[in-house]
Amino acid sequence: MPVLPKPPDGPRRTAAEPLRVFVVDDHTLFRRGLIALLAQYPALRVVGEAGDAGEALRMAPPLAPQVVLLDHHLPGVRGIDAIRGLREAMPQARVLMLTVSEDGEDLAQALRQGAQGYLLKTIEGDLLADAIARAARGEPVVSAELMGKLVAAFQAQGGPPSDAAAEAAGAPPDTAQPPGAAEPASPLSPREEDVLREIARGASNKEIARALDIAETTVKIHVQHILRKLGLSSRVQAAVYASDRQRVA
């Protein structure tokens, strides 16, 4: 049985409407524990739960969740194989994998199917709540410890991660330009290089801001500049670019 994330240190308040979350996991004890954990975050509200993909497809659409937390190892239809159906049934919802599988191919396949992100069940409660909020905003989220495996999975397949990265970010796949396909229009500044290194290890904007001792809004600006200068469309592509460049060097 996977270890549940630890509870938050204290309650959080928000003036906005809580994000509507639907939980899909076949382990009842973990599912109920996860729901109890998320209930401690006022910014989140669990509107329903299911033990398998079929039950989720029947129950979730009328509840209009904004984020679906989906396990991979489900009875019958695997979680990854259910992503596309869930997205078709609930176009407004983001599907966020929450699983024990650290397999790079599972991760890459989940993104290809349209998952907004891929997290391990060992994630801390605060980080999970933040990831749910980021996913709801359309940001791709991947556990930091899996970023290297994601890059390796795409490289092993001999192609760029443009389809998966663009789809996870909500953009048409053909709008994503493969990393390294063109020289950057201008070189990155030293600070942008610092931000790119943090992106490559899977850090969020908040984590980058903390690591570099700069404002989170400044990080967002740097990320926008990096993607524009390198001709990329997502953070995942930026991570692959950084990995490729390091390998060549």
Side-chain angles (χ1 to χ4, degrees):
M1 179 70 65
V3 179
L4 285 170
K6 74 174 185 179
D9 294 331
R12 295 180 170 185
R13 299 184 181 278
T14 176
E17 284 294 316
L19 290 172
R20 300 167 64 84
V21 181
F22 191 93
V23 177
V24 186
D25 195 293
D26 65 319
H27 289 100
T28 303
L29 184 61
F30 178 83
R31 188 173 71 244
R32 296 293 168 79
L34 176 59
I35 291 172
L37 172 74
L38 297 180
Q40 299 181 60
Y41 293 89
L44 305 175
R45 180 158 70 94
V46 176
V47 296
E49 61 180 289
D52 58 55
E55 188 178 21
L57 281 169
R58 291 192 302 272
M59 297 179 60
L63 300 173
Q66 292 160 279
V67 176
V68 176
L69 291 179
L70 179 65
D71 187 20
H72 173 41
H73 298 292
L74 297 173
V77 179
R78 300 184 311 164
I80 287 177
D81 296 328
I83 294 172
R84 197 170 296 276
L86 288 170
R87 293 189 69 223
E88 290 175 354
M90 298 174 289
Q92 82 288 351
R94 309 286 186 174
V95 178
L96 187 55
M97 300 297 297
L98 181 62
T99 179
V100 297
S101 175
E102 299 185 33
D103 183 76
E105 178 53 36
D106 285 345
L107 169 56
Q109 186 179 355
L111 294 182
R112 281 200 190 87
Q113 294 298 318
Q116 192 65 34
Y118 194 101
L119 304 173
L120 297 178
K121 287 185 175 180
T122 51
I123 189 172
E124 298 287 347
D126 283 353
L127 294 179
L128 176 59
D130 181 63
I132 292 173
R134 290 167 58 198
R137 293 195 298 267
E139 298 180 27
V141 288
V142 176
S143 288
E145 58 267 45
L146 295 179
M147 186 59 77
K149 292 185 178 182
L150 174 61
V151 172
F154 283 120
Q155 290 174 338
Q157 291 156 12
S162 53
D163 285 0
E167 193 168 336
D174 58 5
T175 65
Q177 182 176 351
E183 292 297 320
S186 60
L188 300 181
S189 69
R191 179 57 82 188
E192 288 166 353
E193 291 283 1
D194 293 338
V195 172
L196 180 60
R197 281 193 292 271
E198 293 297 317
I199 290 175
R201 71 175 185 84
S204 66
N205 286 349
K206 183 180 297 185
E207 292 167 333
I208 295 174
R210 188 182 303 120
L212 301 182
D213 195 24
I214 57 179
E216 188 173 350
T217 53
T218 303
V219 174
K220 293 179 181 179
I221 293 172
H222 284 316
V223 172
Q224 291 171 0
H225 289 172
I226 290 169
L227 296 181
R228 187 183 70 250
K229 289 180 178 181
L230 300 180
L232 307 176
S233 63
S234 76
R235 297 169 76 98
V236 176
Q237 287 188 353
V240 174
Y241 172 89
S243 176
D244 284 342
R245 189 176 62 174
Q246 183 177 10
R247 185 176 52 177
V248 170

